[in-house]
Amino acid sequence: MSTPLHVTMGRLAAPVDANDHIRGEWRAPVTLVEYGDYQCPYCRAAHPVVQDLLRLRARAVRVVYRHFPLTNVHPRAEPAAELAEAAGVHGQFWPTHDWLFVNQDRLGDEFVAEAIRAIGLPDSVARDIEEHRHLDRVQRDFVSGIRSGVNGTPTFFVNDIRHDGGYGLAELLAAVDSATPASGSPRV
């Protein structure tokens, strides 16, 4: 008999920890978690918005990226997530993350080799992807998204609470600003 899947609607089920991919100040008072898919056009549109948010609220927010590949509609999303994870082993998660969104329209058969050349990753990354060495990490992120009630991408959580507003800069700035404590200290 299998254990039932516990879903926490509206709340982040898996807390952010040191194993997450984090951009920004570790102790920022606001944490924005994004569940995304590298082949999703909406995630691509949100990518520069999140970068602007980090630039405009550098001391107030840290961004966490978690994989949520929608493989039924985006067949290249899971290999792209595996590429980002394999690059992360070499300290290149964020450059690869950025490259994947900027080059989303090029996620064809040769995108892994192209990314390895463009980013300067070691050739062993291709073998890691062929052998699915990082697929468990991608799937762990996906399951944490399911448990958190994620059903599409991008989905954002602000300080563990699902953000059901838009992902335009004005909406995300307002969400971060309203979650920022007056003292500027992290919420517990």
Side-chain angles (χ1 to χ4, degrees):
M1 181 151 91
S2 65
T3 305
L5 180 66
H6 178 69
V7 178
T8 310
M9 298 303 285
R11 293 201 57 86
L12 191 65
V16 173
D17 64 26
N19 294 315
D20 277 301
H21 299 291
I22 299 171
R23 229 179 204 170
E25 290 191 31
W26 177 258
R27 297 197 46 79
V30 178
T31 300
L32 179 79
V33 175
E34 176 185 0
Y35 281 91
D37 171 322
Y38 288 117
Q39 205 174 354
C40 169
Y42 303 108
C43 294
R44 180 181 186 173
H47 180 67
V49 172
V50 171
Q51 290 178 316
D52 285 346
L53 178 70
L54 271 170
R55 182 178 51 77
L56 293 170
R57 297 295 186 270
R59 300 190 64 166
V61 68
R62 65 181 178 161
V63 171
V64 175
Y65 186 83
R66 291 183 177 170
H67 306 287
F68 200 81
L70 300 170
T71 57
N72 57 333
V73 290
H74 300 136
R76 302 278 191 232
E78 193 169 79
E82 288 184 77
L83 171 62
E85 287 302 319
V89 170
H90 302 283
Q92 296 296 314
F93 176 85
W94 290 110
T96 304
H97 171 86
D98 295 340
W99 187 92
L100 286 165
F101 280 125
V102 168
N103 295 284
Q104 187 181 76
D105 57 334
R106 297 164 70 173
L107 298 183
D109 292 336
E110 299 297 318
F111 83 91
V112 171
E114 187 177 343
I116 287 171
R117 282 191 304 276
I119 300 164
L121 299 170
D123 292 335
S124 63
V125 166
R127 191 170 42 258
D128 287 355
I129 295 164
E130 280 178 26
E131 296 173 4
H132 302 290
R133 289 189 182 153
H134 304 284
L135 183 58
D136 62 330
R137 167 60 189 267
V138 173
Q139 291 173 340
R140 198 168 44 244
D141 278 0
F142 186 85
V143 169
S144 79
I146 293 293
R147 288 184 174 148
S148 300
V150 174
N151 57 8
T153 57
T155 296
F156 294 98
F157 290 81
V158 178
N159 283 351
D160 298 342
I161 305 296
R162 184 178 173 137
H163 169 72
D164 287 323
Y167 55 84
L169 185 57
E171 293 96 339
L172 290 179
L173 279 169
V176 166
D177 290 347
S178 69
T180 304
S183 68
S185 61
R187 287 188 173 176
V188 184

Coordinates of all heavy atoms in Angstrom, one line a residue, residues 34-47 64-82 84 93 96-97 100-105 107 111 138 141-142 150-156 167:
E34 N 10.4 30.1 -7.1 CA 9.7 29.9 -8.4 C 9.8 28.5 -8.8 O 10.9 27.9 -8.8 CB 10.4 30.8 -9.5 CG 9.9 30.5 -10.9 CD 10.6 31.3 -12.0 OE1 11.6 32.0 -11.8 OE2 10.2 31.1 -13.2
Y35 N 8.7 27.9 -9.2 CA 8.6 26.6 -9.8 C 8.5 26.9 -11.3 O 7.6 27.5 -11.8 CB 7.4 25.8 -9.3 CG 7.7 25.1 -8.0 CD1 7.4 25.8 -6.8 CD2 8.3 23.9 -7.9 CE1 7.6 25.2 -5.6 CE2 8.6 23.3 -6.7 CZ 8.2 24.0 -5.5 OH 8.5 23.4 -4.3
G36 N 9.5 26.4 -12.1 CA 9.5 26.8 -13.5 C 9.9 25.6 -14.4 O 10.3 24.5 -14.0
D37 N 9.7 25.9 -15.7 CA 9.9 24.9 -16.8 C 10.7 25.6 -17.8 O 10.3 26.7 -18.3 CB 8.5 24.5 -17.2 CG 8.5 23.6 -18.5 OD1 9.3 23.8 -19.4 OD2 7.6 22.7 -18.6
Y38 N 11.9 25.1 -18.2 CA 12.8 25.8 -19.2 C 12.2 25.9 -20.6 O 12.7 26.7 -21.4 CB 14.1 25.1 -19.2 CG 14.9 25.4 -18.0 CD1 15.3 24.4 -17.1 CD2 15.3 26.7 -17.6 CE1 16.1 24.6 -16.0 CE2 16.0 27.0 -16.5 CZ 16.4 25.9 -15.7 OH 17.2 26.2 -14.6
Q39 N 11.2 25.2 -20.9 CA 10.6 25.2 -22.2 C 9.2 26.0 -22.2 O 8.6 26.3 -23.3 CB 10.3 23.8 -22.8 CG 10.3 23.8 -24.3 CD 10.2 22.3 -24.8 OE1 10.3 21.4 -24.1 NE2 10.0 22.2 -26.1
C40 N 8.8 26.5 -21.0 CA 7.6 27.2 -20.9 C 7.7 28.7 -21.4 O 8.6 29.4 -20.8 CB 7.1 27.2 -19.5 SG 5.7 28.3 -19.1
P41 N 6.9 29.1 -22.3 CA 7.1 30.5 -22.8 C 6.7 31.5 -21.7 O 7.2 32.7 -21.6 CB 6.1 30.6 -23.9 CG 5.2 29.5 -23.8 CD 5.9 28.4 -23.1
Y42 N 5.8 31.2 -20.7 CA 5.5 32.1 -19.6 C 6.6 32.2 -18.7 O 6.9 33.3 -18.1 CB 4.2 31.6 -18.9 CG 3.1 31.5 -19.9 CD1 2.6 30.2 -20.3 CD2 2.4 32.6 -20.4 CE1 1.6 30.1 -21.2 CE2 1.4 32.5 -21.3 CZ 1.0 31.2 -21.7 OH -0.1 31.1 -22.6
C43 N 7.4 31.1 -18.4 CA 8.6 31.2 -17.6 C 9.6 32.0 -18.2 O 10.3 32.8 -17.6 CB 9.1 29.8 -17.3 SG 8.0 28.8 -16.3
R44 N 9.7 31.9 -19.6 CA 10.7 32.7 -20.3 C 10.4 34.2 -20.1 O 11.2 35.0 -19.9 CB 10.8 32.4 -21.7 CG 11.7 33.2 -22.5 CD 11.7 32.8 -24.0 NE 12.8 33.5 -24.7 CZ 13.1 33.3 -25.9 NH1 12.5 32.4 -26.6 NH2 14.1 34.0 -26.5
A45 N 9.1 34.5 -20.2 CA 8.6 35.9 -20.0 C 8.9 36.4 -18.6 O 9.2 37.6 -18.4 CB 7.2 36.1 -20.4
A46 N 8.8 35.5 -17.6 CA 9.0 35.9 -16.2 C 10.4 36.0 -15.9 O 10.8 36.7 -14.9 CB 8.3 34.9 -15.3
H47 N 11.3 35.4 -16.6 CA 12.7 35.4 -16.3 C 13.4 36.8 -16.2 O 14.0 37.1 -15.1 CB 13.5 34.5 -17.3 CG 15.0 34.4 -17.1 ND1 15.5 33.8 -16.0 CD2 16.0 34.9 -17.7 CE1 16.8 33.9 -16.0 NE2 17.1 34.6 -17.1
V64 N 14.7 31.6 -5.3 CA 15.0 30.2 -5.3 C 14.3 29.7 -6.6 O 13.1 29.9 -6.8 CB 14.4 29.5 -4.1 CG1 14.6 28.0 -4.2 CG2 15.1 30.0 -2.8
Y65 N 15.0 28.9 -7.3 CA 14.5 28.3 -8.5 C 14.4 26.8 -8.3 O 15.3 26.1 -7.9 CB 15.3 28.5 -9.8 CG 14.6 28.0 -11.0 CD1 13.7 28.7 -11.7 CD2 14.9 26.7 -11.5 CE1 13.0 28.2 -12.8 CE2 14.3 26.2 -12.6 CZ 13.4 27.0 -13.3 OH 12.7 26.5 -14.4
R66 N 13.2 26.2 -8.6 CA 12.9 24.8 -8.5 C 12.3 24.3 -9.8 O 11.5 25.0 -10.4 CB 12.0 24.5 -7.3 CG 12.6 24.7 -6.0 CD 11.7 24.3 -4.8 NE 12.4 24.4 -3.6 CZ 11.8 24.3 -2.4 NH1 10.5 24.1 -2.3 NH2 12.5 24.5 -1.3
H67 N 12.7 23.1 -10.2 CA 12.2 22.6 -11.5 C 10.8 22.0 -11.4 O 10.5 21.3 -10.4 CB 13.2 21.4 -11.9 CG 14.6 21.8 -11.9 ND1 15.1 22.6 -12.9 CD2 15.6 21.5 -11.1 CE1 16.4 22.8 -12.6 NE2 16.8 22.2 -11.5
F68 N 10.0 22.3 -12.4 CA 8.7 21.8 -12.6 C 8.4 21.5 -14.0 O 7.6 22.2 -14.7 CB 7.7 22.7 -12.0 CG 6.4 22.0 -11.6 CD1 6.2 21.3 -10.5 CD2 5.3 22.1 -12.5 CE1 5.0 20.7 -10.1 CE2 4.1 21.5 -12.2 CZ 3.9 20.7 -11.0
P69 N 9.2 20.6 -14.6 CA 9.1 20.3 -16.1 C 7.7 19.7 -16.4 O 7.4 18.6 -15.9 CB 10.2 19.4 -16.4 CG 10.6 18.7 -15.1 CD 10.2 19.7 -14.0
L70 N 7.0 20.4 -17.3 CA 5.7 19.8 -17.7 C 6.0 19.0 -19.0 O 5.7 19.4 -20.1 CB 4.7 21.0 -18.0 CG 4.5 21.9 -16.8 CD1 3.7 23.1 -17.2 CD2 3.7 21.1 -15.8
T71 N 6.4 17.8 -18.8 CA 6.9 16.9 -19.9 C 5.9 16.5 -20.9 O 6.2 16.2 -22.0 CB 7.6 15.7 -19.3 OG1 6.7 15.0 -18.5 CG2 8.8 16.0 -18.5
N72 N 4.6 16.6 -20.5 CA 3.6 16.2 -21.5 C 3.4 17.2 -22.6 O 3.0 16.9 -23.7 CB 2.2 15.9 -20.7 CG 1.8 17.1 -19.9 OD1 2.6 17.9 -19.5 ND2 0.5 17.2 -19.7
V73 N 3.8 18.5 -22.3 CA 3.7 19.5 -23.3 C 5.0 20.1 -23.7 O 5.2 20.8 -24.7 CB 2.7 20.7 -22.9 CG1 1.3 20.2 -22.9 CG2 3.1 21.3 -21.6
H74 N 6.0 19.9 -22.9 CA 7.4 20.4 -23.1 C 8.4 19.3 -23.0 O 9.0 19.1 -21.9 CB 7.7 21.5 -22.1 CG 6.8 22.7 -22.2 ND1 6.3 23.3 -21.0 CD2 6.2 23.4 -23.2 CE1 5.5 24.3 -21.4 NE2 5.4 24.3 -22.7
P75 N 8.6 18.5 -24.1 CA 9.5 17.4 -24.0 C 10.9 17.7 -23.7 O 11.7 16.8 -23.3 CB 9.3 16.7 -25.3 CG 8.8 17.8 -26.2 CD 8.0 18.7 -25.4
R76 N 11.4 18.9 -24.0 CA 12.8 19.3 -23.7 C 13.0 19.8 -22.3 O 14.1 20.1 -21.9 CB 13.3 20.3 -24.7 CG 13.1 19.8 -26.2 CD 14.3 18.9 -26.6 NE 14.3 18.7 -28.0 CZ 14.3 17.5 -28.5 NH1 14.4 16.5 -27.8 NH2 14.3 17.4 -29.8
A77 N 11.9 20.1 -21.6 CA 12.1 20.7 -20.3 C 12.8 19.9 -19.3 O 13.7 20.4 -18.5 CB 10.7 21.0 -19.7
E78 N 12.6 18.6 -19.2 CA 13.3 17.7 -18.3 C 14.8 17.6 -18.6 O 15.6 17.8 -17.7 CB 12.6 16.4 -18.2 CG 13.1 15.6 -17.0 CD 12.3 14.3 -16.7 OE1 12.4 13.3 -17.5 OE2 11.4 14.4 -15.9
P79 N 15.2 17.3 -19.9 CA 16.6 17.3 -20.1 C 17.3 18.7 -19.9 O 18.4 18.8 -19.5 CB 16.7 17.0 -21.6 CG 15.4 16.4 -22.0 CD 14.4 16.9 -21.0
A80 N 16.5 19.8 -20.1 CA 17.1 21.1 -19.8 C 17.3 21.3 -18.3 O 18.3 21.8 -17.9 CB 16.1 22.2 -20.3
A81 N 16.4 20.8 -17.5 CA 16.6 20.8 -16.0 C 17.7 20.0 -15.6 O 18.5 20.4 -14.7 CB 15.3 20.4 -15.4
E82 N 17.9 18.8 -16.2 CA 19.0 18.0 -15.9 C 20.3 18.7 -16.3 O 21.3 18.6 -15.6 CB 18.9 16.6 -16.7 CG 17.9 15.7 -16.1 CD 17.8 14.4 -16.8 OE1 18.7 13.6 -16.6 OE2 17.0 14.2 -17.7
A84 N 20.9 21.9 -16.3 CA 21.1 22.9 -15.3 C 21.7 22.3 -14.0 O 22.6 22.9 -13.4 CB 19.8 23.7 -15.0
F93 N 25.3 26.6 -12.3 CA 23.8 26.5 -12.4 C 23.2 27.8 -13.0 O 22.4 27.8 -14.0 CB 23.2 26.2 -11.1 CG 21.7 26.2 -11.1 CD1 21.0 25.1 -11.6 CD2 20.9 27.3 -10.8 CE1 19.6 25.1 -11.7 CE2 19.5 27.4 -11.0 CZ 18.9 26.2 -11.4
T96 N 23.8 28.7 -16.6 CA 23.1 27.7 -17.5 C 21.6 28.0 -17.5 O 20.9 28.0 -18.5 CB 23.4 26.3 -17.0 OG1 24.8 26.1 -17.1 CG2 22.7 25.3 -17.9
H97 N 21.1 28.3 -16.3 CA 19.7 28.7 -16.1 C 19.4 29.9 -17.0 O 18.4 29.8 -17.8 CB 19.5 29.1 -14.6 CG 18.2 29.7 -14.3 ND1 17.1 29.0 -14.0 CD2 17.8 31.0 -14.2 CE1 16.1 29.8 -13.7 NE2 16.5 31.1 -13.8
L100 N 19.5 28.9 -20.8 CA 18.3 28.1 -21.2 C 17.1 29.0 -21.5 O 16.4 28.7 -22.5 CB 18.0 27.0 -20.1 CG 19.0 25.9 -20.1 CD1 18.8 25.1 -18.8 CD2 18.8 24.9 -21.3
F101 N 16.9 30.0 -20.7 CA 15.7 30.9 -21.0 C 16.0 31.8 -22.2 O 15.1 31.9 -23.0 CB 15.4 31.7 -19.8 CG 14.5 30.9 -18.8 CD1 14.9 30.8 -17.5 CD2 13.4 30.3 -19.2 CE1 14.1 30.0 -16.6 CE2 12.6 29.5 -18.3 CZ 13.0 29.4 -17.0
V102 N 17.2 32.3 -22.3 CA 17.5 33.2 -23.4 C 17.5 32.4 -24.7 O 17.1 32.9 -25.8 CB 18.9 33.8 -23.2 CG1 19.4 34.5 -24.4 CG2 18.8 34.8 -22.0
N103 N 17.9 31.1 -24.7 CA 17.9 30.3 -25.9 C 16.8 29.3 -26.0 O 17.0 28.2 -26.6 CB 19.3 29.6 -26.0 CG 20.4 30.6 -26.1 OD1 20.6 31.2 -27.2 ND2 21.1 30.9 -25.0
Q104 N 15.7 29.6 -25.3 CA 14.6 28.6 -25.2 C 14.1 28.1 -26.6 O 13.8 26.9 -26.8 CB 13.4 29.3 -24.5 CG 12.3 28.3 -24.2 CD 11.1 29.0 -23.5 OE1 10.4 29.7 -24.2 NE2 11.0 28.8 -22.2
D105 N 14.2 29.0 -27.6 CA 13.7 28.5 -29.0 C 14.7 27.6 -29.6 O 14.5 27.1 -30.7 CB 13.5 29.8 -29.8 CG 14.7 30.7 -29.9 OD1 15.6 30.7 -29.0 OD2 14.8 31.4 -31.0
L107 N 16.0 24.8 -28.0 CA 16.1 23.6 -27.2 C 15.7 22.4 -28.1 O 14.9 21.6 -27.8 CB 15.2 23.6 -26.0 CG 15.5 24.7 -25.0 CD1 14.5 24.6 -23.8 CD2 16.9 24.6 -24.5
F111 N 20.8 20.9 -28.3 CA 20.9 22.0 -27.3 C 21.9 21.7 -26.2 O 22.6 22.6 -25.7 CB 19.6 22.4 -26.7 CG 19.0 21.6 -25.6 CD1 19.3 22.0 -24.3 CD2 18.3 20.5 -25.8 CE1 18.8 21.2 -23.2 CE2 17.8 19.8 -24.8 CZ 18.1 20.1 -23.5
V138 N 15.7 16.7 -10.1 CA 14.6 17.4 -10.9 C 13.3 16.8 -10.4 O 12.3 17.6 -10.1 CB 14.8 17.1 -12.4 CG1 13.6 17.6 -13.2 CG2 16.1 17.8 -12.8
D141 N 12.3 18.1 -6.9 CA 11.7 19.5 -7.0 C 10.2 19.4 -7.5 O 9.3 20.1 -7.0 CB 12.5 20.4 -8.0 CG 13.7 21.0 -7.4 OD1 14.0 20.8 -6.2 OD2 14.4 21.7 -8.2
F142 N 10.0 18.6 -8.5 CA 8.7 18.4 -9.1 C 7.7 17.9 -8.1 O 6.6 18.5 -7.9 CB 8.7 17.4 -10.3 CG 7.4 17.4 -11.0 CD1 7.1 18.3 -12.0 CD2 6.5 16.4 -10.8 CE1 5.9 18.2 -12.7 CE2 5.3 16.3 -11.4 CZ 5.0 17.2 -12.4
V150 N 1.3 23.2 -6.9 CA 1.7 23.7 -8.2 C 1.0 22.9 -9.2 O 1.1 21.6 -9.2 CB 3.2 23.7 -8.3 CG1 3.6 24.2 -9.7 CG2 3.8 24.6 -7.3
N151 N 0.4 23.5 -10.2 CA -0.2 22.8 -11.3 C 0.1 23.4 -12.7 O -0.4 23.0 -13.7 CB -1.7 22.6 -11.2 CG -2.4 23.9 -11.0 OD1 -1.8 25.0 -11.2 ND2 -3.7 23.8 -10.6
G152 N 1.0 24.5 -12.7 CA 1.4 25.1 -13.9 C 2.6 26.0 -13.6 O 3.0 26.1 -12.5
T153 N 3.2 26.5 -14.7 CA 4.4 27.3 -14.5 C 4.2 28.7 -15.3 O 3.5 28.7 -16.3 CB 5.6 26.6 -15.1 OG1 5.4 26.2 -16.5 CG2 5.9 25.3 -14.3
P154 N 4.9 29.7 -14.7 CA 5.6 29.7 -13.5 C 4.6 29.8 -12.3 O 3.5 30.4 -12.4 CB 6.4 31.0 -13.6 CG 5.7 31.9 -14.4 CD 4.9 31.0 -15.4
T155 N 5.0 29.3 -11.2 CA 4.2 29.4 -9.9 C 5.2 30.0 -8.9 O 6.3 29.4 -8.8 CB 3.6 28.1 -9.4 OG1 2.7 27.7 -10.4 CG2 3.0 28.3 -8.1
F156 N 4.8 31.0 -8.2 CA 5.7 31.7 -7.2 C 5.1 31.6 -5.8 O 3.9 31.5 -5.6 CB 5.8 33.2 -7.6 CG 6.5 33.5 -8.8 CD1 5.8 33.7 -10.0 CD2 7.9 33.5 -8.9 CE1 6.5 34.0 -11.2 CE2 8.6 33.7 -10.1 CZ 7.9 34.0 -11.2
Y167 N 2.7 37.8 -12.7 CA 4.2 37.8 -12.6 C 4.8 38.9 -13.3 O 6.0 38.9 -13.6 CB 4.8 36.4 -13.0 CG 4.4 36.0 -14.4 CD1 5.1 36.4 -15.5 CD2 3.3 35.1 -14.6 CE1 4.8 36.0 -16.7 CE2 3.0 34.7 -15.8 CZ 3.8 35.1 -16.9 OH 3.4 34.7 -18.2

